[in-house]
Amino acid sequence: QHFTSKTDSCGAMRRGMQRGNTYVEVREVGQQGPLGKLCGSLCISCLGVVMYWGSLALLAVNEQRTVCTQRALISAANVYEEVSCDGRAGGADLRNSAIFFSCPFAEESLVSRGPNDFGAKDFLGEAFRVKAVKVRQDVQMLQCVETKTTEQRKEGDRTIQVDRYSYDLQWRSGPVDATSFRAWSSNAARHALRDGCGAGFRSNPNFKLSSQTLMAPSLISGVFDLTRFLSQLDVSEAIPLKGGMGAPRRTAKDGQPYTWEEFEDYYQDSAWREWRAAAEAEPDGFLEGNVLHTCNYEKLGCLRISYFKSSATHGSYLGSQRLGRSPVRTLPWKAPPSWMCKATDVDLFSGKEYLQSAEDLLREAERSNRAMTWLCRLLGAVAAVLGIWMFLSPIHSLVEIVENFFHWFRVLPLLGDALGFLGSVVSGAVGCALLALALSLGLPSAMLVVSVSWCVMRPILGIPMLLCSLFGLALGLRKLFR
């Protein structure tokens, strides 16, 4: 263990201690005065008002979006025309009509990919070759990472902050900048860095490869252009790797392994003679399923490389089209306006390994609509409760000021401890009461907005919900003014 102690620029004492790969720093932080704390809580209260009304507006817009989307999907299900992969629809007039098709992707959209396309031939050689719309290369490097956690606790009328800096080797997909590590400004933290990342650590190495996704230049299904949906295709099917560990290497006179290209660059005319005289190098790394490890054991700078592809070979679409030359462009279909709903876009796409029906796409769209609806409802209700709790925060601040006042008497035997305990109990009780009040007002308010929206758009379901939410809100207001 190593200990440090020094005073910062504000005059506060810092105490540092190293335990294994963790450096712990303890310091006393300054407290706001009563006036500053009260002003801060008033600002939070104003922000709470904005959050409360904003959450209710979000809920109202979400309910309207839900109903309008559902109506648009029903309209599309009633009027769509199914077209063949060559664009024919049995003589029907397709101008401004909703269409549906499900067709295999064209050969030009299934591009052949291998390690060389990602610049990984030296690592993998020809370990795989696939034809897919999208292929992704995931690269992770074992790097030294600093993890900081902070906690604050009260000791009497003082506030103590504890910062913990832990150092260890972790697999990361992006570069980790080590120049800002706490270890470079503290001897004790430097010892923790040494224990976690090694005595010789100075910085993390650069990535030799980077994660990237290669996509087909276009996505053609039948005679239809679906390129605008390329980003929606999932790339999650693992590609198994096979074969050797990249280009052969031989040990040069300096004892390091090099490829033939590296021998040729260095030795020039005598490269072949040196290559023949050199011994074959042991491969550094191994294959594990669909993951290549570039080192035989974990050490700083090692890479893990894996590949994934999109399994989609068929595209299904429900929307509209722009008639013209091939490939035919797809466009959103405008559902006719209805009560409280403008013309709503229907633009459904799905890429799978098999053909789908229009009913499959509509069911997926309905599930997605319901999931988004309930997510927005949950976020809106939480934001409404949080907004009220923030609005009431000046009350809690006043209680905390009284609690700090009680702590001034801690020097008195028995009485000081009793007053401090009483202040803590009152502060905790008021905090719980304010949270309960925020719940009793925020949740009925959210339900009230949803009910009013449904009363306007679906009265049969909305009116019972409205009565229940009014009853809950009345109970909350009664608790507030009692």
Side-chain angles (χ1 to χ4, degrees), residues 32-45 154 389-405 423 426-428 430-431 434:
Q32 280 186 314
L35 184 59
K37 184 176 292 187
L38 190 58
C39 289
S41 65
L42 289 174
C43 293
I44 294 176
S45 181
K154 297 193 69 174
W389 183 78
M390 293 168 64
F391 172 71
L392 299 173
S393 62
I395 299 176
H396 195 257
S397 296
L398 288 173
V399 174
E400 286 186 335
I401 292 172
V402 174
E403 179 189 4
N404 291 335
F405 173 75
V426 170
S427 177
V430 170
L434 293 178

Side-chain angles (χ1 to χ4, degrees), residues 26-185:
V26 181
R27 60 191 176 95
E28 182 180 348
V29 295
Q31 283 189 315
Q32 280 186 314
L35 184 59
K37 184 176 292 187
L38 190 58
C39 289
S41 65
L42 289 174
C43 293
I44 294 176
S45 181
C46 294
L47 183 60
V49 173
V50 175
M51 179 176 290
Y52 173 73
W53 291 109
S55 67
L56 299 186
L58 169 67
L59 287 168
V61 171
N62 177 59
E63 297 306 315
Q64 182 188 29
R65 180 203 59 80
T66 299
V67 175
C68 293
T69 300
Q70 186 64 26
R71 289 177 182 173
L73 293 177
I74 294 173
S75 296
N78 292 330
V79 302
Y80 77 87
E81 293 285 346
E82 186 167 355
V83 299
S84 63
C85 295
D86 59 6
R88 298 177 184 176
D93 185 7
L94 300 180
R95 286 176 296 179
N96 300 321
S97 297
I99 64 166
F100 167 77
F101 62 84
S102 185
C103 305
F105 291 142
E107 191 68 21
E108 63 193 88
S109 297
L110 299 172
V111 182
S112 178
R113 304 286 188 190
N116 193 44
D117 297 296
F118 294 90
K121 186 175 182 180
D122 287 345
F123 294 94
L124 283 160
E126 285 296 324
F128 73 89
R129 176 63 56 179
V130 297
K131 295 184 70 174
V133 174
K134 295 170 71 174
V135 180
R136 185 179 81 241
Q137 172 180 264
D138 281 354
V139 180
Q140 294 181 319
M141 180 187 288
L142 195 62
Q143 303 177 76
C144 182
V145 178
E146 177 186 75
T147 304
K148 180 183 177 181
T149 59
T150 300
E151 64 171 318
Q152 288 190 354
R153 61 172 182 261
K154 297 193 69 174
E155 294 182 359
D157 60 344
R158 299 187 306 159
T159 301
I160 303 300
Q161 178 169 308
V162 181
D163 297 323
R164 290 181 174 86
Y165 302 85
S166 297
Y167 300 91
D168 56 0
L169 296 177
Q170 298 180 18
W171 293 100
R172 292 297 179 91
S173 300
V176 176
D177 183 14
T179 58
S180 59
F181 282 3
R182 184 73 176 91
W184 309 129
S185 56

Side-chain angles (χ1 to χ4, degrees), residues 2 13 24 36 59 129 135 156 159 185 196 217 256 267 317 333 354 413 427 456:
H2 292 80
M13 181 64 70
V24 182
L59 287 168
R129 176 63 56 179
V135 180
T159 301
S185 56
Q256 299 298 319
Y267 290 108
Y317 178 74
W333 177 71
Y354 48 84
S427 177
V456 174

Side-chain angles (χ1 to χ4, degrees), residues 185-415:
S185 56
S186 168
N187 288 330
R190 193 173 295 116
H191 283 89
L193 174 67
R194 181 197 62 191
D195 288 354
C197 299
F201 177 79
R202 294 294 179 272
S203 64
N204 287 311
N206 296 323
F207 273 76
K208 298 177 182 178
L209 290 175
S210 60
S211 298
Q212 57 178 311
T213 300
L214 299 181
M215 299 188 294
S218 61
L219 185 61
I220 308 299
S221 181
V223 296
F224 300 95
D225 186 356
L226 298 173
T227 306
R228 62 193 179 95
F229 296 106
L230 261 175
S231 61
Q232 296 184 20
L233 288 175
D234 184 44
V235 191
S236 58
E237 183 178 333
I239 300 175
L241 305 178
K242 59 187 178 183
M245 295 292 297
R249 286 175 165 80
R250 297 199 174 189
T251 304
K253 294 178 180 178
D254 62 356
Q256 299 298 319
Y258 298 98
T259 63
W260 161 248
E261 287 79 6
E262 292 170 324
F263 264 77
E264 192 174 26
D265 288 342
Y266 184 78
Y267 290 108
Q268 301 293 327
D269 295 337
S270 61
W272 178 243
R273 184 175 67 251
E274 297 291 342
W275 177 261
R276 292 178 59 187
E280 291 189 3
E282 289 289 331
D284 189 17
F286 60 94
L287 285 173
E288 184 181 22
N290 72 312
V291 180
L292 166 68
H293 298 256
T294 61
C295 301
N296 292 324
Y297 61 93
E298 291 190 350
K299 59 184 179 181
L300 184 71
C302 291
L303 299 179
R304 287 196 312 201
I305 310 171
S306 55
Y307 294 88
F308 301 87
K309 69 174 183 177
S310 171
S311 60
T313 56
H314 297 73
S316 303
Y317 178 74
L318 178 59
S320 184
Q321 63 177 334
R322 174 174 292 177
L323 297 175
R325 61 183 182 180
S326 183
V328 179
R329 288 184 57 193
T330 55
L331 300 169
W333 177 71
K334 296 282 187 183
S338 59
W339 168 246
M340 295 296 291
C341 294
K342 301 183 296 184
T344 305
D345 288 346
V346 176
D347 197 31
L348 308 180
F349 166 79
S350 178
K352 301 290 184 183
E353 313 94 270
Y354 48 84
L355 297 174
Q356 292 180 280
S357 65
E359 289 72 22
D360 293 333
L361 260 66
L362 289 168
R363 277 195 295 269
E364 288 182 10
E366 288 172 356
R367 284 195 295 267
S368 176
N369 188 37
R370 283 196 297 269
M372 179 60 69
T373 298
W374 281 105
L375 177 62
C376 291
R377 285 173 179 170
L378 178 62
L379 292 177
V382 171
V385 172
L386 185 60
I388 293 178
W389 183 78
M390 293 168 64
F391 172 71
L392 299 173
S393 62
I395 299 176
H396 195 257
S397 296
L398 288 173
V399 174
E400 286 186 335
I401 292 172
V402 174
E403 179 189 4
N404 291 335
F405 173 75
F406 285 159
H407 281 302
W408 293 346
F409 298 96
R410 68 183 184 278
V411 295
L412 299 177
L414 297 179
L415 180 61

